Amino acid sequence: MKQRLVKVLGFILISLFILSLSIAITINFTPLYSFDINYLNISENINMSKEQILVNYRILIAYLNYPWISELTMPDFSSSESGLFHFYEVKRLFLINYSILLISGMGSLGFLLYSRGKKLQKSFLLFFKTGILVLLSIIVAVLISFDAIFLLFHQTFFNNDAWLFNPATDPIIEALPAEFFMHNFLLVFGLSFSFLTIGLIVTKYKKIKEVPVLNSSSSRNIKSKK
């Protein structure tokens, strides 16, 4: 019973670690936004150079990332009180994600150390396979109905309408089109899928590697009995 509880908690921690790590990488992966400026014609749509847009974007990301930056002031984009409040709420989510990343990372390491010698390969294989199938389903869902998922995300994590930006008062929204957020969602789940796939491959490799050792030891035991 105790081992079962430890396994459940351990796999929850690994799941949180993979997801929070994928989110942390995605929100700091500026090359994605740099690519989307060209791919989504953002520069032409808002009549601003790519360099200017990136300067403002980096200021926004720095505000969202660092607790000691308490004010958001973008040189080329004005912001309403409602818009600033929404970014404050996003900042809070960013910091919560980093906290989850740290705690789940330490917990996952502890669980991996605990699982050594416990013969949990089958449990790990099932975990990785199930996770991969779930993520494939989510990726397909994002591709098919992103608008509904995007709306559900905001309704889940925000209990107000501050995220509904008015371009007249918060022109930054025109530099952050919905397609960019879809690409972020796909990158988060794509990274999570990659981490789970790597875990599955490593677990299978370890299992295969241990088989000859077991067979050779058992054959030696049979010969000694003879």
Side-chain angles (χ1 to χ4, degrees):
M1 184 67 179
K2 181 182 176 182
Q3 187 178 25
R4 185 177 297 177
L5 289 173
V6 172
K7 279 169 54 178
V8 171
L9 179 60
F11 287 128
I12 289 174
L13 287 169
I14 292 175
S15 300
L16 289 173
F17 176 70
I18 289 174
L19 181 59
S20 58
L21 177 61
S22 299
I23 293 172
I25 292 172
T26 298
I27 60 183
N28 289 287
F29 191 60
T30 305
L32 174 60
Y33 186 62
S34 181
F35 167 80
D36 270 348
I37 291 175
N38 297 325
Y39 183 72
L40 301 175
N41 299 315
I42 295 174
S43 186
E44 290 80 2
N45 293 339
I46 65 173
N47 194 27
M48 188 180 294
S49 70
K50 181 177 181 178
E51 290 71 25
Q52 277 181 285
I53 297 172
L54 283 172
V55 166
N56 289 269
Y57 181 74
R58 290 191 179 101
I59 290 172
L60 174 60
I61 293 300
Y63 166 76
L64 297 175
N65 268 326
Y66 304 128
W68 54 87
I69 300 179
S70 58
E71 294 185 3
L72 173 61
T73 305
M74 292 175 283
D76 298 297
F77 295 100
S78 59
S79 299
S80 67
E81 287 187 14
S82 176
L84 289 173
F85 177 69
H86 177 65
F87 282 128
Y88 166 75
E89 289 190 304
V90 174
K91 178 187 183 79
R92 193 165 55 187
L93 288 179
F94 273 35
L95 297 179
I96 290 173
N97 182 72
Y98 289 130
S99 300
I100 292 173
L101 175 61
L102 179 62
I103 295 170
S104 62
M106 293 188 296
S108 297
L109 178 60
F111 177 62
L112 290 174
L113 293 174
Y114 166 84
S115 65
R116 293 177 67 178
K118 299 287 184 180
K119 297 181 180 180
L120 298 180
Q121 287 93 343
K122 287 185 178 180
S123 298
F124 273 96
L125 286 173
L126 179 61
F127 167 75
F128 289 127
K129 288 177 180 178
T130 303
I132 287 170
L133 289 175
V134 170
L135 284 172
L136 280 175
S137 302
I138 293 174
I139 290 171
V140 171
V142 169
L143 290 171
I144 293 175
S145 55
F146 173 72
D147 290 341
I149 292 173
F150 194 56
L151 177 61
L152 178 62
F153 171 82
H154 282 84
Q155 290 175 339
T156 303
F157 291 99
F158 306 103
N159 61 352
N160 53 65
D161 295 330
W163 63 276
L164 295 170
F165 279 31
N166 183 348
T169 56
D170 293 283
I172 185 64
I173 193 59
E174 296 186 318
L176 300 170
E179 292 86 352
F180 167 63
F181 291 106
M182 182 179 75
H183 296 162
N184 275 271
F185 272 64
L186 290 174
L187 182 56
V188 167
F189 295 122
L191 286 170
S192 299
F193 176 86
S194 300
F195 292 140
L196 287 172
T197 302
I198 291 170
L200 178 64
I201 293 171
V202 170
T203 304
K204 280 187 173 182
Y205 173 75
K206 284 186 175 180
K207 188 175 181 181
I208 292 171
K209 194 176 179 181
E210 288 177 1
V211 169
V213 177
L214 293 173
N215 288 341
S216 59
S217 61
S218 59
S219 62
R220 282 197 300 269
N221 290 334
I222 292 171
K223 287 180 180 179
S224 62
K225 288 180 182 179
K226 288 182 178 180

